[in-house]
Every structure is written in structure tokens, then in C-alpha cells.
Amino acid sequence: MNKKMKLRPYVFPMLYMIVVLVLLGAVYYNGLINNSYKTGEKDSLTYVTNLELYDDSILVSKKEEIMVKPFISESVSIGKNYYNYQDGKDKQENSIVYYEGTYIQNSGVDYVSKEKFDIVSCLNGTVLSVQKTELMGYVVEIKYDNDIIISYQSLSEVTVKENDSVVKGQTIGISGKSTIGSELGNHLHLEMYLSGQTVNPEDYYNKNIKDI
């Protein structure tokens, strides 16, 4: 004769409590993990801001690009100024170029030195052209961001060619002499164009390219 098995009255409450404890334990553990990440682990992380992606794979710090002078030698000085009608009489007189009976307003700045000096790129850019002319010697034109073109003239030697990429401070040639401005002797004639208009490069040295 089989006897029917009966569950004791306290079995169901015990099972219910076990299920509740398991669920509460899982919730607590999950919350503990998340809280650990948000508080403790987060404090140990180092954050780097102002980054840009380079070559689609390497993160590098984005640096300010400041325009530098086209030479490093401390012996270089200004031989002829950029012509500005608002300048004083003395400065205007020193910005007039005389050639074959004609007085010409200087569209750039002439840097002179007794000794030849290295010519460096003022910014990061791309060489548009390299030419050798009878009047100005070697002429190197480089295009930069923000619609800037700088023409380096009166060079005796060049170290770059058309379509080369250049970086700021890279040597692109050596100073020399030219037929126009022959009285200056060894020098660099520098012309800067901003959106197609000549400007005085002396007004832009040590400035951030994004502000030009």
C-alpha cells in the first residue's frame, strides 16, 4: 500500500526565500561591478584630449602651427622693407626698388647678410614650383594652408623640387644674389600672398596659421 508523500508546510517558503536571495545576490554583484568601473577604475584612467587621428591608426597630439621666419642665422637683417603707403617717410624710402631707371614699390621683404645663409620653410606645405630666372635667381613657391603662398627668391641653390612636401623649418635653399636689387648683395627676397594679395610677412611671424 503506497502512501502519498506530503511536503512539509515550511518547504515552499524556504524555496521562495532561496530564489529571492539568488536574485538579490545577482543584482548586487552586477551593481558592484558597474560601480567599481565608474568610480574606482575610472580614477585610474588617464585621459588625453586634443587628439587627431593620423594615418587612420595612430593617435597623435594636435600641435599649434606657428609661422617662423625664413632663416635661422642671427646675422640676417632687413635690407629692404615691404612697401606700405601708411608707413613713415624713412620706411617708405627703404621700400623702393630702383631698376633700369624705374622706381618700384617693394612687394616683399629683402633679408641681407654678408655670408650666405640657409633658407627654411615658414610653415608646413607643398612646393608649387622651382624655377631659375635671370632677374631673381632661383625662385621657390610653396603653398600652405589658409590660402597662403610664399615665394622665396634670389636663391643661389635649392634643395627641393616641385610637389615636394616640406615641414616648417626645413631647409629649402641658400641665399644668393639677383639682378634686381643687386646693391643688396647676398640676400633673400621673400613675398607672401594671402588669398592672392601680397602682404607684409613681418606681420605674420610667430602667429598661429589658423589666425592668419
Side-chain angles (χ1 to χ4, degrees), residues 38-62:
K38 292 179 180 180
T39 57
E41 292 184 7
K42 185 178 180 180
D43 294 338
S44 65
L45 297 176
T46 300
Y47 292 90
V48 181
T49 58
N50 199 26
L51 294 178
E52 63 180 1
L53 189 61
Y54 181 73
D55 284 345
D56 296 326
S57 59
I58 304 174
L59 287 174
V60 295
S61 178
K62 186 177 182 180

Side-chain angles (χ1 to χ4, degrees), residues 127-176:
V127 178
L128 285 180
S129 65
V130 177
Q131 299 178 1
K132 187 175 183 179
T133 68
E134 292 183 5
L135 295 180
M136 300 303 298
Y138 279 107
V139 177
V140 177
E141 287 192 348
I142 302 179
K143 181 176 177 58
Y144 303 103
D145 290 341
N146 286 16
D147 204 13
I148 297 170
I149 293 177
I150 296 181
S151 180
Y152 304 79
Q153 304 179 18
S154 304
L155 278 61
S156 61
E157 299 178 35
V158 295
T159 58
V160 293
K161 61 183 184 300
E162 187 176 338
N163 296 324
D164 278 357
S165 294
V166 295
V167 297
K168 179 177 67 177
Q170 176 182 336
T171 299
I172 61 172
I174 299 176
S175 61

Side-chain angles (χ1 to χ4, degrees), residues 77-185:
S77 60
I78 294 178
K80 286 284 185 181
N81 294 300
Y82 174 85
Y83 182 84
N84 187 335
Y85 72 92
Q86 294 180 328
D87 286 337
K89 180 180 178 181
D90 292 342
K91 199 167 184 179
Q92 281 192 348
E93 288 180 353
N94 192 45
S95 61
I96 298 296
V97 178
Y98 181 77
Y99 178 67
E100 292 188 343
T102 303
Y103 291 94
I104 307 169
Q105 297 173 350
N106 198 8
S107 55
V109 178
D110 293 283
Y111 299 100
V112 301
S113 177
K114 292 181 179 180
E115 304 294 332
K116 288 187 176 182
F117 55 93
D118 289 342
I119 310 303
V120 302
S121 178
C122 296
L123 293 160
N124 301 329
T126 303
V127 178
L128 285 180
S129 65
V130 177
Q131 299 178 1
K132 187 175 183 179
T133 68
E134 292 183 5
L135 295 180
M136 300 303 298
Y138 279 107
V139 177
V140 177
E141 287 192 348
I142 302 179
K143 181 176 177 58
Y144 303 103
D145 290 341
N146 286 16
D147 204 13
I148 297 170
I149 293 177
I150 296 181
S151 180
Y152 304 79
Q153 304 179 18
S154 304
L155 278 61
S156 61
E157 299 178 35
V158 295
T159 58
V160 293
K161 61 183 184 300
E162 187 176 338
N163 296 324
D164 278 357
S165 294
V166 295
V167 297
K168 179 177 67 177
Q170 176 182 336
T171 299
I172 61 172
I174 299 176
S175 61
K177 299 178 181 180
S178 61
T179 302
I180 298 180
S182 58
E183 74 279 4
L184 295 172

